[in-house]
Amino acid sequence: MAIRLIATDIDGTLIYGCREEPTERVKAALRAAQEKGVKVALATGRMPVASRFYTRWMSEDAMAVFANGALLAKPGGEVEQEVGMDPDGAREVWDRGIALGLGVVAWTKSGLYLNREDGPMKVYRGVAICAPVWTAKVIEDVEEVIPEGIVKMLWVAEEAVIDEVLKDLDAEGIPGVHYMRSEKEYIEMVRPGVSKGTGLALLAERMGLRRDEIMAVGDEMNDLAMIEYAGYGIAMGSAPEKVRQAAVYTTGTAEEDGLALAIERFVLGEKA
């Protein structure tokens, strides 16, 4: 069955580091796929405002999965569907994160809110905020933004700290919250049942596509659900072992043009 949609993660897949554009080989592969009539969509943990450099590589008539599946939106950021966090779950994430000494992030559709700007939050700014495309506001209490509707939250710390925090989360969990590691330095939180996989399933329904007509490419644990959902689930070479085991194929890393290699192999019919 021919692939009709490519769903690609951004960080560590479409791009690496703080690049504002894919490499020339990746851009050429995306263009060639679209010339064959294949749609291209983003499926990212980022919010729309943090993805605006990359939506230009999407098909104009496609939609994107943002916030790890919590938002389905058009390339320009117009939200088609939103699944926000449960307020009690958001409160627990905020309070527990502060008690653990972590940086805590809350995203709404209209803003970015932090519990602090020093310490671990420098990690988030260094890893995730590669360009000054938004303004962050420090707040003392998550109650200040719950009325806006929180889309997703994050805990931020150095990699070794996140390793330990995940062990506790795996043992206890947080009621009303689904968590996933999306980078070495942070854990993302959304409503239970929300994932890139559910977002991609909704996108496929809107576009009238079957799972076996979709290729999904990603490099982290938050990509696992969509890699499992898609008929052609592709893991980047840097992906964790669990993600690579779930994929039908493991391509190169972002630095090795892994996304282009996968498109050339499965969409364009070329030798990777």
Side-chain angles (χ1 to χ4, degrees):
M1 182 60 62
I3 293 170
R4 296 175 59 195
L5 173 68
I6 299 167
T8 176
D9 172 47
I10 294 178
D11 299 287
T13 303
L14 179 68
I15 62 160
Y16 60 89
C18 285
R19 296 176 62 97
E20 292 185 8
E21 290 193 353
T23 66
E24 292 303 316
R25 186 171 182 179
V26 169
K27 288 191 287 188
L30 291 171
R31 291 192 192 101
Q34 291 180 79
E35 288 171 0
K36 286 189 65 173
V38 178
K39 306 298 183 184
V40 176
L42 300 179
T44 178
R46 290 181 181 233
M47 295 289 285
V49 70
S51 308
R52 68 183 189 185
F53 291 128
Y54 314 108
T55 54
R56 75 188 77 173
W57 302 106
M58 287 179 54
S59 301
E60 292 183 2
D61 53 350
M63 284 186 287
V65 176
F66 293 110
N68 289 310
L71 295 177
L72 188 67
K74 296 178 180 178
E78 301 90 344
V79 174
E80 293 286 315
Q81 180 159 323
E82 175 184 355
V83 183
M85 291 188 68
D86 173 73
D88 287 339
R91 293 182 183 104
E92 180 66 18
V93 170
W94 185 269
D95 293 341
R96 192 184 298 191
I98 290 175
L100 290 170
L102 308 174
V104 186
V105 178
W107 276 100
T108 70
K109 284 188 297 184
S110 59
L112 167 62
Y113 302 92
L114 318 174
N115 70 320
R116 58 195 291 185
E117 286 190 316
D118 61 348
M121 202 54 66
K122 293 179 180 179
V123 177
Y124 185 63
R125 288 188 173 277
V127 172
I129 306 180
C130 296
V133 296
W134 59 74
T135 300
K137 180 180 179 182
V138 176
I139 58 174
E140 294 185 2
D141 193 332
V142 74
E143 294 294 339
E144 297 178 42
V145 296
I146 281 180
E148 291 186 30
I150 295 175
V151 176
K152 72 167 187 172
M153 299 179 73
L154 299 92
W155 282 351
V156 183
E158 289 75 13
E159 180 179 355
V161 175
I162 293 296
D163 288 341
E164 294 302 313
V165 169
L166 273 173
K167 292 178 184 178
D168 293 336
L169 274 180
D170 289 342
E172 300 177 8
I174 300 177
V177 174
H178 173 56
Y179 66 90
M180 67 207 86
R181 191 174 200 159
S182 57
E183 293 287 349
K184 294 180 176 61
E185 297 86 358
Y186 47 88
I187 302 168
E188 303 208 20
M189 320 279 194
V190 292
R191 182 181 284 270
V194 170
S195 71
K196 289 189 183 183
T198 60
L200 184 55
L202 180 58
L203 180 57
E205 180 181 343
R206 296 281 187 95
M207 297 180 68
L209 300 175
R210 297 189 303 272
R211 294 169 65 173
D212 60 3
E213 295 175 315
I214 300 171
M215 183 171 82
V217 191
D219 74 309
E220 261 296 349
M221 287 302 297
N222 63 325
D223 298 307
L224 177 61
M226 75 168 180
I227 285 173
E228 291 177 330
Y229 172 81
Y232 295 83
I234 309 296
M236 298 294 286
S238 57
E241 178 65 23
K242 187 173 182 179
V243 176
R244 286 185 276 122
Q245 288 179 351
V248 299
Y249 180 73
T250 297
T251 185
T253 65
E255 291 87 346
E256 296 167 337
D257 293 325
L259 176 58
L261 293 172
I263 293 172
E264 291 163 3
R265 182 184 183 99
F266 292 101
V267 178
L268 305 179
E270 301 173 7
K271 289 185 178 181

